[in-house]
């Protein structure tokens, strides 16, 4: 289900996570990690948005020239389960079609480091997606970053709010880098091509 959108309309890339240093290295914050890397690539720093409870960067992604796309990169500062409010405010402020919104988030049902890109669908119990879908419907893109299932009897809530393990951290930079590549490909080349290159 590939939606065609106005080529001049901006994209809104939302890294999902929780604000504050205590959450920074959690599995649940991998969306923030990918957003931070994209900010580095854009050679820009996040600034507080005047209207939305979010930090944003306005810039471009993709090859210079007609292939580049106008983007707003955002990190909601509302806590994960209230992400829909800031995202909706940013969508309206920048006049972004819902199909031009990309949520980058952790995904329990995919093995660690595996990526899946898709448009629309359910929230799979993810509170950030649940809040976004409640606010504006499900028809936005997702870049799903696999974190795997909790070991043994550990509760999901405890697992996602724990930092990546030592073994996982060895590969984390590589996987975050790949996820940032996937976001750039999705925005500049479209969903199908990005899926064929990054869905593993």
């Amino acid at each position: 289900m590939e939606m065609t959108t106005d080529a001049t309309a901006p994209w809104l890339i939302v890294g999902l996570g929780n604000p504050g240093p205590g959450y920074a290295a959690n599995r649940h914050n991998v969306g923030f990690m990918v957003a931070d890397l994209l900010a580095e690539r854009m050679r820009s720093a996040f600034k507080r948005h005047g209207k939305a409870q979010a930090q944003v960067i306005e810039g471009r992604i993709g090859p210079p020239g007609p292939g580049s796309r106008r983007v707003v990169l955002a990190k909601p500062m509302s806590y994960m389960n209230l992400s829909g409010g800031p995202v909706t405010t940013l969508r309206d402020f920048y006049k972004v079609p819902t199909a031009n919104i990309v949520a980058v988030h952790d995904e329990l049902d995919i093995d660690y480091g595996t990526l899946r890109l898709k448009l629309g669908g359910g929230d799979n119990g993810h509170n950030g997606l649940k809040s976004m879908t409640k606010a504006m419907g499900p028809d936005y893109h997702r870049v799903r970053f696999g974190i795997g299932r909790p070991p043994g009897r550990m509760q999901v809530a405890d697992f996602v709010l724990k930092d990546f393990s030592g073994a996982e951290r060895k590969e984390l930079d590589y996987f975050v880098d790949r996820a940032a590549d996937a976001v750039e490909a999705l925005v500049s080349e479209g969903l199908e091509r990005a899926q064929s290159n990054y869905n593993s």
Side-chain angles (χ1 to χ4, degrees), residues 3 20 48 64 71 75 95 103 121 138-139 141 181 193 196:
M3 285 191 181
R48 200 180 167 138
V71 300
K75 296 195 296 186
K95 299 181 172 54
D139 297 326
H141 287 87
D181 289 347
R193 184 173 288 189
S196 67

Side-chain angles (χ1 to χ4, degrees), residues 1-172:
M1 167 167 121
E2 179 112 24
M3 285 191 181
T4 53
T5 53
D6 174 0
T8 61
W11 284 74
L12 174 58
I13 300 164
V14 182
L16 292 178
N18 285 307
Y23 295 103
N26 289 179
R27 292 182 177 93
H28 220 21
N29 267 44
V30 77
F32 273 17
M33 295 173 198
V34 175
D36 286 338
L37 179 56
L38 287 166
E40 271 180 48
R41 292 183 181 185
M42 292 165 76
R43 295 188 176 84
S44 200
F46 281 101
K47 293 185 178 63
R48 200 180 167 138
H49 191 271
K51 296 254 196 292
Q53 198 179 353
Q55 293 184 349
V56 299
I57 291 172
E58 296 174 48
R60 299 189 85 83
I61 274 182
S68 85
R69 298 278 179 268
R70 201 154 59 93
V71 300
V72 178
L73 181 61
K75 296 195 296 186
M77 291 286 121
S78 58
Y79 289 99
M80 182 70 88
N81 58 353
L82 299 171
S83 301
V87 175
T88 307
T89 302
L90 292 172
R91 178 197 66 180
D92 296 346
F93 183 86
Y94 291 105
K95 299 181 172 54
V96 180
T98 303
N100 275 25
I101 296 173
V102 182
V104 186
H105 64 92
D106 56 303
E107 178 62 66
L108 286 159
D109 282 343
I110 305 175
D111 290 341
Y112 173 61
T114 300
L115 293 177
R116 292 266 196 285
L117 284 67
K118 69 175 195 168
L119 175 62
D123 57 56
N124 206 19
H126 192 288
N127 287 333
L129 297 182
K130 200 174 284 184
S131 177
M132 283 180 62
T133 297
K134 187 176 176 189
M136 59 189 187
D139 297 326
Y140 53 91
H141 287 87
R142 300 99 190 280
V143 173
R144 304 156 74 205
F145 186 111
I147 60 169
R149 286 304 240 174
R153 294 186 170 176
M154 188 189 292
Q155 295 294 314
V156 163
D158 296 333
F159 179 69
V160 299
L161 293 175
K162 278 199 167 39
D163 291 358
F164 285 100
S165 69
E168 287 170 335
R169 279 200 295 273
K170 288 191 175 81
E171 295 179 293
L172 184 58

